[in-house]
Amino acid sequence: MRGALGGPRVLLRRLREVMAEPVSAQDRLDKIVVLIAANMVAEVCSVYVLRVDGTLELYATEGLNSTAVHKTVLRADEGLVGLVASEANPINLSDAQNHPAFSYRAETGEEIYHSFLGVPILRAGNTLGVLVVQNRARRTYTEEEEEALQTTAMVLAEMIASGELSAIAQPGAEPAARRPLHLTGTILNDGIAHGHVVLHEPRVVITNFIADDVPKELKRLEAAIETMRSDLDVLLERGELADGGEHREVLEAYRMFAYDRGWVHRLEEAVATGLTAEAAVERVQSDTRARMLRATDPYLRERLHDLDELANRLMHQLLGQDYAPARDRLPENAIIVARTMGPAALLEYDRKRLRGLVLEEGGPNSHVAIVARALGIAAIGRIDNATGVADPGDAIIVDGSSGDVHVRPSPDMERAYVERVRLRARRQSQFQALRETPCITRDGEKIALMINAGLAVDLPHIQETGACGIGLFRTELQFMVAASFPRSAEQFALYRAVLDAAGDKPVTFRTLDIGGDKVLPFMRNFEEENPALGWRAIRLGLDRPGLLRSQIRALLRAA
C-alpha cells in the first residue's frame, strides 16, 4: 500500500499525533477517517461502532454523505458491515453490490462504490465495531492493504474501549465496549460479593502502539521470544516436573506453541506494518481469540487458553514486567477474575480484602472451589471469556446463590444488590447472637455441633461459630493445595496448629483421602471404571505404607 501519505507506517505515526490532540471525540474520529482514506487512496472510509443495543451505528465517514453520521444504524447481522462484525473476519470484495449480504442504505450514497474492504475492530477478541474503505473502481484490495487496515483498527479499538465516544452517544445507544453484562455460570460457593475486578493474570496495558524503528522492534521481539523459550525450557527441566503430571503437560503445550514458526511469522508480519513488538503480540492474539471464541470444537477452545497464556508471558517479557501478579496489593473489595487458578494461588491473596472469585473454568469439586468455600467468598465458575470482557477496576457483582455475574452493573442493579448484601449481613448478625445458645433438643438432649475443616484458614471458625470442636479435619486438603508433596515436618506443623486452635475441644482427623475426584497435582492419575470405589483413601494408604506411616507419625507427634 502506497498512498498519498506514504504507507502504513506514516499513517500510524499520523494517527499517534491525532490521538494526542486536545480535540473532541467526534473531531478526532473525523480526522482519522480522512487520514486512512488518503493513505489507502480510498474514496470512502467509515467507522461503525457496536452499541449497547447490539446495533452498529455510523460514527464517522469520509466519502459517504456526512448527514448519515449517527443516523445510519444497522442490525448486528445486517449487510456486509454486520457480516464483518458477527464473524469477526475481514471481507474483501471487488463488487460488493453483488454479494448476497449487501444492504443498500439510500441516505449514505454508497451505491456508486463497488469495491469494499471491511475489518472488525477487535479488543481481547471482542468486536467493538467495523472499519470500512470503499472505491468506485472494481478492485480487490491487496493483502498489505488488508493488514494495514487491521492494524489501524487496533488503534481505534483502544479509543472505543477508553469510553471517549460515550460523550457523543445518545442515551441508551452508548458504545457496547463499556456496556453492562449479565453472565451466568456454575456456583462454586454461596454468597454475594460486590466489588471491583482484579485480573489474576493482568493484561499488559500497551501505551505505545506505533514503532519508531521497525528493525529495532523486530530485534526486541526476537530477543523476548528466545528468553521466553529458555524460561520454559528451564521450568520443564526442574526436578519437580521430571516425573510428568498435569503441570508438565501444560508447560509442554506452551513450549510447543512458543516454537511454532507460523505463530512467530504472524508476529513478525504485524511488526512490519509499523506496530511495536508488544502491540503486535496484542494484535495477533486478539485476531486469534476472535476466531477461536467462535469455534465449537472444545479442543480448539482449550488451545485458545494456551495461546492466551503464551501471549501474556511474551508481553510481560517485552515490557520487563514480572509475570506473577502483585497479590499483596489488593484493593478493597477485590473480586478475582481468572481463566483458571490453583488453590495455592488463591490462598496467596489478602483474605481481608478478597470478596469473590470468577473463573472461566472450574467446577464445584475443583480444588480452588474447596478453598473458596474455606475462605467464605462467593465464587462462580465456567463463565465464558470472563477475562476478555472484564477490565481491571470494573464494578462487578458475584451472586453465588444464583450463579449470576454482573460486570459494570447499572446503578439500579448495584442498589438492589447493596440491599441484598445488607440483608445477608443482618442475618449473619442474628446467627452470631445465637452463638452461645446451648444446643439442646426440646426433650433435653444435648447436641454437639462441630465444624468441618481442612486448611489453616478454617481454624478461626471454631471461635467464630462457637463450635464444640472439629468433627472432621480433612487432611487431604493440605496435599491438594500444595505444589509438591508435603514433608512430614509440614504435616506436623499443620496438625499442631489445628490442635492448638481447638484447645481442649475434640478433633477428628481423617487420613489422606485422595483418588476419584480428588487428584493431587504432583501425582499421576489412573483411569478406573469406578474411581469412587477404586484405588483411593485407605486402600491407597495401605498400598503405600510409607505414605500412611509418615502421616500417622506427624499426627502422633502433634498430639
Side-chain angles (χ1 to χ4, degrees):
M1 180 184 74
R2 180 65 61 180
L5 296 184
R9 294 177 194 169
V10 174
L11 171 60
L12 287 174
R13 293 193 193 101
R14 292 296 305 277
L15 283 175
R16 179 168 58 185
E17 294 169 3
V18 171
M19 297 297 283
E21 289 180 7
V23 296
S24 69
Q26 188 64 59
D27 287 344
R28 196 184 319 281
L29 269 183
D30 291 341
K31 288 186 176 186
I32 287 172
V33 293
V34 170
L35 279 175
I36 296 170
N39 189 273
M40 294 192 65
V41 196
E43 292 162 284
V44 172
C45 177
S46 306
V47 174
Y48 295 83
V49 176
L50 186 66
R51 308 193 313 189
V52 292
D53 59 2
T55 60
L56 290 154
E57 178 182 327
L58 178 63
Y59 258 64
T61 187
E62 166 68 7
L64 298 183
N65 293 336
S66 59
T67 54
V69 173
H70 299 302
K71 297 291 191 295
T72 296
V73 178
L74 305 170
R75 297 190 312 275
D77 60 350
E78 182 182 354
L80 294 172
V81 172
L83 190 61
V84 172
S86 60
E87 295 189 355
N89 273 321
I91 292 180
N92 187 349
L93 301 170
S94 60
D95 193 355
Q97 296 179 31
N98 283 330
H99 192 281
F102 179 78
S103 176
Y104 173 62
R105 288 301 187 94
E107 72 273 15
T108 65
E110 67 176 333
E111 66 274 7
I112 60 175
Y113 303 105
H114 294 280
S115 55
F116 174 99
L117 173 59
V119 300
I121 300 173
L122 299 172
R123 186 172 186 266
N126 301 304
T127 301
L128 305 186
V130 177
L131 177 60
V132 175
V133 293
Q134 295 171 273
N135 283 88
R136 299 187 189 203
R138 291 177 172 83
R139 56 167 296 209
T140 301
Y141 296 92
T142 65
E143 288 185 11
E144 290 78 11
E145 288 172 316
E146 187 174 316
E147 183 78 16
L149 199 63
Q150 287 178 298
T151 299
T152 307
M154 182 180 177
V155 178
L156 282 171
E158 294 306 312
M159 180 181 178
I160 297 171
S162 71
E164 183 179 352
L165 299 187
S166 298
I168 56 175
Q170 294 297 318
E174 295 86 357
R178 304 297 301 164
R179 71 187 186 280
L181 294 175
H182 175 207
L183 311 168
T184 303
T186 300
I187 298 171
L188 305 185
N189 191 41
D190 190 19
I192 295 176
H194 177 210
H196 295 89
V197 170
V198 173
L199 293 180
H200 175 57
E201 295 172 352
R203 288 194 297 271
V204 173
V205 178
I206 300 173
T207 56
N208 184 17
F209 287 87
I210 301 155
D212 293 319
D213 186 338
V214 170
K216 181 180 177 181
E217 293 300 317
L218 285 170
K219 288 180 180 178
R220 284 184 64 226
L221 178 66
E222 181 182 356
I225 290 173
E226 284 303 314
T227 302
M228 182 185 68
R229 287 171 174 171
S230 298
D231 289 346
L232 288 171
D233 290 341
V234 169
L235 283 172
L236 283 163
E237 289 167 5
R238 284 183 179 174
E240 60 262 32
L241 293 175
D243 296 329
E246 183 182 356
H247 291 168
R248 183 177 181 86
E249 291 172 4
V250 170
L251 287 174
E252 286 281 13
Y254 295 164
R255 183 163 70 173
M256 178 185 71
F257 285 118
Y259 281 90
D260 180 68
R261 186 57 206 162
W263 180 66
V264 175
H265 182 63
R266 288 193 295 276
L267 294 174
E268 291 170 342
E269 283 185 330
V271 172
T273 65
L275 290 175
T276 58
E278 56 270 23
V281 177
E282 169 71 18
R283 154 76 197 287
V284 169
Q285 187 53 21
S286 188
D287 290 348
T288 303
R289 188 177 181 86
R291 289 194 300 273
M292 296 181 78
L293 279 173
R294 288 157 178 80
T296 56
D297 188 332
Y299 176 81
L300 288 178
R301 290 178 70 90
E302 182 62 31
R303 298 289 71 76
L304 168 61
H305 297 322
D306 294 337
L307 284 167
D308 274 342
E309 175 85 3
L310 194 66
N312 211 14
R313 283 177 178 270
L314 183 53
M315 281 196 280
H316 279 85
Q317 186 68 51
L318 281 163
L319 295 176
Q321 297 179 2
D322 188 354
Y323 184 67
R327 295 166 193 167
D328 57 343
R329 297 194 298 273
L330 275 187
E332 293 288 344
N333 300 318
I335 294 178
I336 306 300
V337 178
R339 178 179 69 82
T340 186
M341 182 188 290
L346 183 57
L347 287 168
E348 290 177 13
Y349 284 102
D350 184 349
R351 186 184 177 190
K352 294 178 181 177
R353 296 170 179 263
L354 185 60
R355 294 291 177 268
L357 175 66
V358 176
L359 299 174
E360 292 183 9
E361 300 177 5
N365 296 322
S366 63
H367 300 171
V368 72
I370 293 170
V371 173
R373 287 193 283 273
L375 293 173
I377 60 173
I380 296 176
R382 296 173 186 164
I383 296 290
D384 285 344
N385 196 28
T387 57
V389 299
D391 286 323
D394 278 348
I396 184 171
I397 295 169
V398 180
D399 189 342
S401 61
S402 64
D404 293 321
V405 174
H406 300 272
V407 182
R408 297 180 292 272
S410 66
D412 288 344
M413 181 67 70
E414 284 200 271
R415 282 193 290 270
Y417 268 94
V418 165
E419 186 57 34
R420 287 186 62 183
V421 170
R422 286 175 181 158
L423 283 172
R424 289 179 71 93
R426 283 199 291 270
R427 194 176 299 127
Q428 289 298 321
S429 297
Q430 292 169 356
F431 294 153
Q432 188 71 14
L434 298 172
R435 191 171 73 92
E436 303 299 336
T437 303
C439 300
I440 303 175
T441 63
R442 289 183 178 180
D443 59 354
E445 288 292 325
K446 289 186 177 182
I447 304 294
L449 289 181
M450 301 187 182
I451 66 167
N452 283 349
L455 295 168
V457 295
D458 292 319
L459 301 182
H461 297 166
I462 301 174
Q463 296 301 321
E464 291 170 4
T465 61
C468 296
I470 299 178
L472 176 66
F473 190 88
R474 297 168 290 184
T475 62
E476 65 272 9
L477 294 189
Q478 181 190 23
F479 291 75
M480 291 166 67
V481 302
S484 59
F485 193 92
R487 303 299 180 188
S488 180
E490 295 172 280
Q491 295 178 51
F492 162 75
L494 175 61
Y495 305 152
R496 182 67 263 171
V498 172
L499 294 172
D500 288 344
D504 58 356
K505 296 179 179 180
V507 179
T508 301
F509 289 94
R510 179 172 70 191
T511 56
L512 190 60
D513 179 18
I514 56 171
D517 60 340
K518 299 176 184 176
V519 181
L520 301 185
F522 45 82
M523 190 170 179
R524 192 177 298 278
N525 192 29
F526 295 93
E527 294 292 334
E528 296 183 275
E529 287 187 14
N530 189 351
L533 295 175
W535 191 60
R536 62 172 299 170
I538 192 63
R539 297 188 189 94
L540 187 149
L542 293 173
D543 199 31
R544 298 283 179 86
L547 185 153
L548 185 59
R549 276 197 296 267
S550 174
Q551 185 173 33
I552 296 297
R553 286 194 189 104
L555 284 166
L556 290 174
R557 284 179 60 207

